[in-house]
Amino acid sequence: IITLKTFTNILILSSSRWFNMAAARRLKRVVASQPGFLPVKTSVDAAGLTSGRRKRVNKNKKKSWGKHSDIQDVEQFLDDVRLQERTTGGLLSERPDDSLFFLDVGQEFGTVHQSSSVMCRLPSVLAHQKPNAKKLRRLAQRAERLAAKGVVPRKQRQLLNRRPVDKTAKKTATEANNNPDRGFYNLWGQEGECGLNALLLEAHEVEVKKQKEEEKIEKQLAFNKEETTIFQEQVEGLLEEEEKNPVEEEGQGEMPVGAIVLAEKKTEKQRKREKMDKIKAQQRQVDRQQIDRRQQLFQLRSIKASIKQQEQRTKERQTERKAKQEAQKAMPRRLGRLKYTPDLEVQLSDELASSLRQLKPEGSILKDRFKSLQKRNLIEPRERAKFKRRHKLKYVEKRAFREIT
Amino acid sequence: MGGLQKKKFERGSATNYITRNKARKKLQLSLPDFRRLCILKGIYPHEPKHKKKVNKGSTAPRTFYLLKDIRFLLHEPIVGKFRDYKVFVRKLRKAYGKSEWTSVERLRENKPTYKLDHIIKERYPTFIDALRDIDDALCMCFLFSTFARTGKCHVQTIQLCRRLTVEWMNYIITSRALRKVFLSIKGIYYQVEVMGQLITWLVPYQFAHDHPTDVDYRVMATFTELYTTLLGFVNFRLYHSLNLVYPPKLDGKAEAELKEEDEEGYAMNSESYSEKLSALGGSLARVVSAGEEEEAEVDQFPVEGEDMEKMEAREKEQKELEAQKRLFEGLKVFLNREVPRESLAFILRCFGAEVSWDKSVCIGSTFDVTDETITHQIVDRPNAEKQYINRYYIQPQWVYDCVNAKILLPVQDYFLGVTLPPHLSPFVEEKEGDYIPPEKLKIMALKRGEKSAQEEEEEEEEEEEGEGEEEEEDEDEDAEEDEDEEEEDVAEEMNLKKMEKQRSQGKSLSVKVTPGKVKAENPARLEQEEKAEEKRLAIMMMKKKEKYLYDKIMFGKKRKIREANKLAAKRKAHDDAEKVAKKKKAKKQ
């Protein structure tokens, strides 16, 4: 068995020295002959390779002779001969015709072949013999005894107990909800027919409900004393809360180094000026407010008027909104994309019929019921699904017509 | 930032609603299955108050369902059945595709089905709840029973609807529950009273009609599925409440009457029994077949706090009801071929009449047209030869008008060839100040007239001939006038009637006014005048604000009266025009 190492060595050798077709083929042959190796191209290649040139082998030793010569066919033939001699006592080719063939005139098996066929006799013997006849006899007797007592084997019991097959076909048909022959039963049972018992039951249930509610409230209110420790109780209110140190905000951020120097020079001035400005602005504001307040006295009337106007507007809007809400309550709810469109079925006075025979009905009740269900907000307004094209159709004129137009 | 910040659309109304597609995905159903489930379970979409909040800022029109409802749907066993059905369809299609016919048969035999009984019990826990919602169910079932059996919707559904509607009608006939009928342009409206509940439904005319294309049949079929189940159970309960056999069987006597020789011409043997039932000709069999049971008189239990007046009023009402139930009793009516047989047979039998029709129309006719004891024959042709003298040949509207008026109207208005009086709607109840058409007034007068005559047992019972001019009113409250005939001396007739009424009421006629009688009238008028003056004074003394309010109220009231006057003026103008036209006609001739 060639290992990977040797294989690579060979490859390198062959590739480095004489890389010719012969060497490659030789290598392939050796590799392919390893057990378990599945070549890409099967025996065709191998046969082709080997049949062309044979390697020179020494066959004078037993080992090499056994390895390189194929005696399969001879062995096969000899095996066959030995088998024939063993089984039929001599070669079949040397037998006379009568012993091999017979003319079938419809007689029994045993009478013709008794004399010559050894093989046929043996099965007949075996056919009358049962290797475990005693055991079977014993089992049968046991079963008889048990059956006499009444105990039946499990499989038979199961068979007997099996219910007849339900006619599921008919059953599903009769069970279907829209079967015209379906039966109905008393769904609402004994309503009020028990009288006193029913009333008592009702009262009982009401009481149970009340009790449950009370219990719930009690649970919510229950104060579990064991959870809070006694220490916490005692200490309640004694500890002061830590004062929260105000986080000092650090300036307005560090200005660039150069700017600092200049800013520092002017900051004092700036600060003073800022302060003055602030004070002045504040003063101005206060003065302005005072003046405003004084002027408002003279503007009272117009102020009143404007307030009144605003109030009126809000009132109007309120009433409008309320009216709209009330109107909406009367209309059917908007559920979904489409709006509800009421149908009106009226006949004009010249269309009215003078007798029942000439009466022409208007509208269809199916549509009427459908609209009524929509109006009562049981279903949302529906319309028939339209056919939408994904891509627009292209219309092209034929060449001939294009020339005309 | 911690994770405890409140985020938008995570609380409140946004979490209470769920869009339709999300709900569908949560339930893992296809859209038609989801729709069917919602219809069956009674889950309807809701419109939230603040759409923007629920829709997470957008105002796109979406369908919202309450999240509670969808969670409730998750526990429904029918959802599993829908999924089984989907799988079944897939397998069947595969078997068809592979041409495995044995598999196809086997699958078909084991088709998954579902029942809706538990849903009915859940949605209508008591019988009265079911009765309240039976209007819709009846409309749908009657509608579906008129469909053609083409296979567009399951033929079994149509058959089931037919069976249930026939059972219902038979029950109404047996219990004499019908109260009002109205012929509208859409169909025929019926109103019955069952166990104290007023139930109204609409039946289409029997003419063939094209089905509209913009109606979703699957939705309607699902509703019908639910409603057929509901109606079936209700029928069962109703039949048992009257001690009738359910499924209904014809009474032995009635069945013998209906036996005919050539029954095969009408229907297949399997269907002939149901066809006989649907003919509404025979009465139903009872569980405990007793003879004529005398109804025991109901004991009078004086309710606390009720005076004698109320009790008497109730007794009177009951008596009236009993009288109404026997409206057509003793009549033997024959229906001609061109009138709507089922509707008329139903109504006539509801009030005790005996009905029959031509043999060629339907199975189950009890007597022939040649029967001498027929009292009325309903015909709708402009001219028909009247072979028999002892029966009235009238148009079908007579039956409907009689039911609404609760008395037997005079037959003369409904003879063949006569222009019919308009068919008034019994569902309109006029309040004070509303416009009451003169025909209705006449009918009321008729009722009162007949009643007063009965009470006083006068010998001279002058029947007021009602020359009717009645208006036909549509259910949609669109007053349309029919063409009427008017007699020339109608004014004189009115006068005569007034005098007779006054005489029957014991008042003295204005014709015989003597000076003494004038004095007698004075105190009444004086009182009235005094009252009016007091009223005027009070109005003058009101403050400005109060007067303003009072004016507003009176304006509203007067507006009604003004409208009524307008209608009356319109009517008068129309009548005058007719009068002129007739006169011209007469002159020409």
Side-chain angles (χ1 to χ4, degrees):
Chain A
I1 300 168
I2 297 180
T3 57
L4 192 62
K5 199 175 172 191
T6 46
F7 177 72
T8 43
N9 284 340
I10 294 167
L11 200 64
I12 292 164
L13 273 172
S14 59
S15 61
S16 61
R17 287 255 199 113
W18 313 281
F19 186 69
N20 51 358
M21 301 300 283
R25 253 184 277 137
R26 206 184 307 134
L27 184 62
K28 271 196 205 164
R29 203 191 321 139
V30 166
V31 165
S33 63
Q34 299 308 309
F37 185 89
L38 294 164
V40 175
K41 282 190 199 162
T42 45
S43 55
V44 178
D45 241 349
L49 286 169
T50 46
S51 61
R53 287 231 202 120
R54 262 203 207 110
K55 191 188 172 181
R56 283 198 208 115
V57 213
N58 246 344
K59 282 204 233 173
N60 38 6
K61 299 288 180 197
K62 195 179 188 181
K63 195 169 154 195
S64 59
W65 186 91
K67 213 199 255 185
H68 297 290
S69 54
D70 188 24
I71 51 166
Q72 195 59 27
D73 44 354
V74 177
E75 285 290 326
Q76 221 178 353
F77 172 73
L78 284 175
D79 278 334
D80 191 40
V81 166
R82 282 182 212 128
L83 179 69
Q84 279 182 25
E85 283 180 349
R86 245 190 307 148
T87 53
T88 55
L91 289 174
L92 282 176
S93 48
E94 290 165 9
R95 284 265 208 100
D97 288 335
D98 298 332
S99 60
L100 289 174
F101 304 104
F102 73 100
L103 207 64
D104 186 11
V105 286
Q107 285 182 0
E108 279 180 38
F109 170 81
T111 49
V112 178
H113 286 267
Q114 248 176 9
S115 52
S116 47
S117 70
V118 178
M119 283 174 78
C120 303
R121 228 182 281 152
L122 287 171
S124 66
V125 173
L126 286 170
H128 293 297
Q129 275 185 345
K130 258 199 226 168
N132 57 350
K134 253 193 188 171
K135 185 178 175 198
L136 288 174
R137 220 186 310 138
R138 230 186 319 125
L139 283 176
Q141 282 172 3
R142 186 157 175 275
E144 269 181 45
R145 259 183 283 134
L146 287 175
K149 272 198 225 166
V151 181
V152 175
R154 186 177 295 167
K155 291 238 168 98
Q156 247 199 341
R157 219 187 312 146
Q158 281 181 344
L159 203 72
L160 289 170
N161 285 345
R162 226 171 65 166
R163 304 259 178 270
V165 176
D166 289 338
K167 291 279 179 181
T168 45
K170 296 263 170 82
K171 197 178 176 200
T172 46
T174 47
E175 261 184 17
N177 209 30
N178 58 356
N179 177 30
D181 299 320
R182 66 165 288 176
F184 294 99
Y185 53 91
N186 196 359
L187 186 70
W188 288 283
Q190 313 283 320
E191 239 180 62
E193 283 164 13
C194 295
L196 199 61
N197 281 345
L199 287 171
L200 279 175
L201 212 79
E202 270 189 55
H204 168 77
E205 280 180 45
V206 167
E207 284 301 313
V208 164
K209 248 194 195 173
K210 276 194 201 160
Q211 241 192 344
K212 273 196 189 166
E213 280 188 37
E214 278 177 27
E215 277 177 31
K216 192 174 168 190
I217 293 176
E218 286 285 311
K219 249 196 265 176
Q220 284 177 346
L221 291 175
F223 177 60
N224 214 342
K225 234 185 171 177
E226 282 136 38
E227 285 192 4
T228 56
T229 57
I230 302 167
F231 175 71
Q232 274 193 14
E233 260 189 304
Q234 287 175 345
V235 148
E236 206 63 64
L238 286 178
L239 290 172
E240 288 173 30
E241 285 184 355
E242 288 178 11
E243 288 174 24
K244 293 190 179 148
N245 302 325
V247 178
E248 287 189 40
E249 293 176 13
E250 294 190 294
Q252 275 87 22
E254 296 274 326
M255 285 195 251
V257 181
I260 288 171
V261 176
L262 284 168
E264 272 187 27
K265 266 209 172 166
K266 275 199 183 169
T267 39
E268 308 249 359
K269 255 197 197 172
Q270 264 205 343
R271 274 196 213 143
K272 275 191 194 158
R273 201 188 289 171
E274 278 173 11
K275 250 194 211 169
M276 289 301 296
D277 286 337
K278 228 199 241 175
I279 291 167
K280 272 197 200 150
Q282 273 186 359
Q283 191 62 31
R284 240 184 287 142
Q285 252 201 343
V286 167
D287 289 337
R288 187 74 229 164
Q289 274 185 4
Q290 280 190 346
I291 294 169
D292 272 340
R293 254 182 252 146
R294 236 179 283 147
Q295 292 300 93
Q296 272 185 356
L297 273 172
F298 304 121
Q299 292 170 345
L300 262 178
R301 215 182 281 169
S302 59
I303 289 171
K304 248 193 193 176
S306 68
I307 289 175
K308 244 192 193 175
Q309 239 193 6
Q310 279 181 359
E311 275 185 6
Q312 228 196 357
R313 232 185 296 156
T314 49
K315 261 192 208 166
E316 275 174 20
R317 285 207 196 122
Q318 267 182 2
T319 48
E320 268 183 39
R321 221 179 295 146
K322 265 194 191 159
K324 224 183 169 185
Q325 273 186 8
E326 295 292 315
Q328 272 227 326
K329 274 188 204 166
M331 291 273 291
R333 304 250 148 276
R334 178 81 192 275
L335 317 150
R337 203 168 54 97
L338 300 163
K339 291 202 184 140
Y340 168 71
T341 51
D343 256 358
L344 190 59
E345 278 145 2
V346 163
Q347 270 188 347
L348 303 171
S349 46
D350 22 323
E351 289 173 8
L352 284 175
S354 52
S355 82
L356 190 56
R357 192 169 47 93
Q358 292 161 350
L359 178 68
K360 192 169 187 312
E362 185 91 11
S364 92
I365 295 198
L366 190 61
K367 204 165 177 188
D368 167 68
R369 285 281 102 210
F370 195 56
K371 290 278 175 188
S372 146
L373 289 169
Q374 286 173 10
K375 195 160 124 188
R376 281 179 277 161
N377 306 317
L378 300 180
I379 51 179
E380 52 197 39
R382 307 273 307 279
E383 71 173 11
R384 204 184 167 84
K386 279 185 272 194
F387 179 68
K388 277 192 191 161
R389 281 197 182 276
R390 243 180 232 277
H391 308 287
K392 223 168 62 163
L393 283 178
K394 279 191 189 171
Y395 293 99
V396 181
E397 276 181 343
K398 281 196 187 165
R399 211 166 248 259
F401 295 121
R402 217 189 293 165
E403 285 170 1
I404 299 171
T405 53
Chain B
M1 291 293 178
L4 294 174
Q5 196 191 27
K6 261 199 190 182
K7 292 208 184 109
K8 254 184 162 185
F9 308 124
E10 263 185 13
R11 258 171 262 257
S13 48
T15 51
N16 292 343
Y17 292 91
I18 183 175
T19 61
R20 189 188 64 187
N21 277 337
K22 281 222 175 94
R24 197 172 61 79
K25 289 210 181 103
K26 196 172 173 112
L27 290 162
Q28 296 175 326
L29 287 173
S30 66
L31 187 57
D33 275 343
F34 176 73
R35 276 214 190 96
R36 199 177 305 149
L37 182 67
C38 285
I39 290 172
L40 290 176
K41 290 285 280 184
I43 305 287
Y44 309 123
H46 288 258
E47 193 190 13
K49 245 189 185 174
H50 304 284
K51 240 195 185 168
K52 253 190 164 177
K53 277 192 206 169
V54 174
N55 216 353
K56 309 224 171 112
S58 88
T59 47
R62 282 216 185 93
T63 319
F64 291 103
Y65 290 83
L66 286 173
L67 191 59
K68 269 191 280 177
D69 289 342
I70 303 297
R71 268 198 234 123
F72 170 61
L73 280 181
L74 282 168
H75 303 299
E76 177 57 43
I78 284 196
V79 176
K81 298 283 174 128
F82 282 164
R83 296 194 191 126
D84 288 343
Y85 190 77
K86 191 171 96 162
V87 168
F88 160 76
V89 165
R90 197 194 305 149
K91 284 189 189 163
L92 194 66
R93 213 185 296 142
K94 264 199 196 165
Y96 253 107
K98 292 187 188 172
S99 307
E100 292 170 4
W101 305 118
T102 47
S103 301
V104 166
E105 267 191 50
R106 180 177 46 88
L107 285 167
R108 274 251 168 81
E109 278 175 21
N110 299 334
K111 178 173 172 174
T113 55
Y114 56 86
K115 284 235 156 161
L116 298 175
D117 306 355
H118 62 287
I119 294 186
I120 304 283
K121 184 74 201 240
E122 194 183 82
R123 283 178 77 172
Y124 307 104
T126 62
F127 177 57
I128 295 293
D129 293 330
L131 264 189
R132 278 200 208 109
D133 268 5
I134 203 80
D135 301 30
D136 239 349
L138 284 170
C139 285
M140 284 294 227
C141 287
F142 271 96
L143 173 65
F144 265 69
S145 60
T146 59
F147 280 0
R149 297 176 197 199
T150 51
K152 214 177 175 186
C153 52
H154 290 215
V155 178
Q156 293 168 318
T157 312
I158 301 177
Q159 286 176 318
L160 181 63
C161 286
R162 177 96 182 119
R163 168 192 149 199
L164 291 171
T165 52
V166 165
E167 285 174 9
W168 172 263
M169 284 202 282
N170 272 311
Y171 168 79
I172 299 291
I173 289 173
T174 318
S175 65
R176 306 263 177 118
L178 188 63
R179 300 279 178 265
K180 293 184 186 171
V181 193
F182 180 60
L183 297 160
S184 80
I185 53 176
K186 266 195 269 188
I188 310 180
Y189 286 88
Y190 295 100
Q191 189 175 74
V192 300
E193 188 177 347
V194 173
M195 298 200 174
Q197 301 284 331
L198 281 174
I199 297 169
T200 320
W201 76 94
L202 173 59
V203 176
Y205 289 115
Q206 296 282 51
F207 323 133
H209 40 257
D210 293 327
H211 285 291
T213 47
D214 52 351
V215 171
D216 191 350
Y217 272 90
R218 266 181 295 188
V219 165
M220 304 305 263
T222 317
F223 270 109
T224 310
E225 216 181 310
L226 176 72
Y227 287 147
T228 49
T229 327
L230 175 65
L231 187 55
F233 285 117
V234 165
N235 275 347
F236 182 94
R237 185 62 180 253
L238 289 172
Y239 270 65
H240 276 262
S241 73
L242 278 189
N243 257 343
L244 295 165
V245 173
Y246 188 87
K249 288 195 174 48
L250 286 170
D251 201 11
K253 189 175 59 151
E255 209 175 333
E257 272 179 35
L258 295 172
K259 205 75 177 172
E260 284 183 31
E261 284 141 23
D262 50 323
E263 278 181 356
E264 297 93 43
Y266 292 109
M268 301 191 304
N269 281 333
S270 57
E271 292 188 350
S272 97
Y273 196 80
S274 60
E275 285 296 313
K276 272 193 225 166
L277 259 178
S278 68
L280 304 172
S283 50
L284 297 174
R286 289 179 187 259
V287 173
V288 184
S289 52
E292 287 295 318
E293 288 180 18
E294 283 189 27
E295 284 186 22
E297 286 225 3
V298 184
D299 287 339
Q300 307 282 346
F301 288 112
V303 182
E304 280 177 308
E306 239 189 38
D307 351 331
M308 283 299 293
E309 286 182 21
K310 284 193 187 165
M311 267 179 56
E312 276 177 17
R314 259 199 302 143
E315 274 183 45
K316 215 174 143 196
E317 267 183 53
Q318 273 201 341
K319 274 197 196 146
E320 279 180 22
L321 198 64
E322 291 297 313
Q324 187 197 355
K325 282 189 189 176
R326 295 199 202 92
L327 187 63
F328 292 143
E329 215 146 290
L331 298 189
K332 210 162 174 189
V333 187
F334 186 82
L335 305 173
N336 226 16
R337 287 199 298 262
E338 67 275 355
V339 302
R341 185 204 66 83
E342 198 168 284
S343 165
L344 283 170
F346 173 56
I347 295 172
L348 286 166
R349 287 219 58 232
C350 257
F351 291 98
E354 287 177 35
V355 196
S356 180
W357 46 85
D358 200 66
K359 262 193 228 163
S360 60
V361 171
C362 184
I363 199 174
S365 67
T366 39
F367 47 86
D368 205 18
V369 67
T370 50
D371 194 333
E372 303 270 322
T373 51
I374 295 177
T375 54
H376 295 73
Q377 182 163 344
I378 313 280
V379 185
D380 206 0
R381 297 181 190 171
N383 45 1
E385 47 169 56
K386 300 171 191 174
Q387 295 177 309
Y388 298 87
I389 317 170
N390 58 344
R391 64 173 81 152
Y392 291 118
Y393 288 81
I394 43 179
Q395 303 195 35
Q397 199 182 307
W398 178 78
V399 179
Y400 299 103
D401 285 342
C402 283
V403 171
N404 289 335
K406 299 183 194 167
I407 50 169
L408 283 175
L409 290 172
V411 193
Q412 287 82 334
D413 304 331
Y414 300 89
F415 278 155
L416 303 180
V418 171
T419 315
L420 290 167
H423 182 58
L424 289 172
S425 161
F427 299 108
V428 170
E429 284 164 17
E430 281 100 0
K431 288 167 251 174
E432 260 185 60
D434 278 345
Y435 171 68
I436 304 180
E439 289 80 14
K440 189 142 191 189
L441 289 167
K442 274 181 194 132
I443 291 188
M444 283 162 36
L446 255 176
K447 273 199 243 181
R448 257 181 284 132
E450 288 197 3
K451 256 192 227 153
S452 61
Q454 281 172 10
E455 280 173 9
E456 299 182 1
E457 295 174 7
E458 273 188 342
E459 295 166 13
E460 306 158 351
E461 241 184 282
E462 275 126 332
E463 275 187 319
E464 300 166 3
E465 300 184 36
E467 261 119 12
E469 284 167 18
E470 297 165 326
E471 269 196 40
E472 180 167 350
E473 283 179 5
D474 202 42
E475 262 288 281
D476 298 331
E477 320 269 40
D478 233 12
E480 292 134 25
E481 294 185 35
D482 206 341
E483 298 178 82
D484 323 341
E485 243 183 38
E486 200 178 11
E487 297 278 331
E488 291 181 25
D489 47 355
V490 76
E492 278 185 22
E493 294 274 328
M494 292 290 292
N495 248 340
L496 278 169
K497 263 185 257 164
K498 253 194 244 167
M499 291 204 291
E500 285 158 13
K501 218 200 305 181
Q502 282 180 349
R503 197 205 303 162
S504 63
Q505 283 171 3
K507 270 200 199 153
S508 52
L509 294 171
S510 47
V511 172
K512 293 188 194 155
V513 163
T514 53
K517 298 268 167 72
V518 173
K519 273 188 208 156
E521 284 189 296
N522 257 339
R525 226 196 289 165
L526 264 176
E527 258 194 69
Q528 277 187 10
E529 278 185 27
E530 267 190 57
K531 277 198 189 148
E533 250 200 75
E534 277 176 27
K535 203 176 175 193
R536 256 178 280 140
L537 273 171
I539 291 174
M540 274 199 289
M541 287 209 295
M542 273 200 279
K543 286 195 204 159
K544 215 180 184 183
K545 272 190 202 170
E546 292 168 17
K547 179 125 200 309
Y548 181 61
L549 206 64
Y550 174 76
D551 277 340
K552 267 193 165 176
I553 295 170
M554 290 311 289
F555 179 76
K557 274 196 187 167
K558 283 191 189 143
R559 190 179 3 180
K560 259 195 184 177
I561 298 171
R562 245 183 286 131
E563 283 193 18
N565 285 343
K566 241 198 248 175
L567 283 171
K570 249 190 179 179
R571 184 56 192 274
K572 192 159 178 271
H574 173 88
D575 290 348
D576 289 338
E578 285 285 324
K579 213 178 177 180
V580 168
K582 289 292 167 192
K583 275 191 177 153
K584 275 194 186 160
K585 244 192 183 176
K587 271 188 191 167
K588 275 188 188 171
Q589 286 174 354

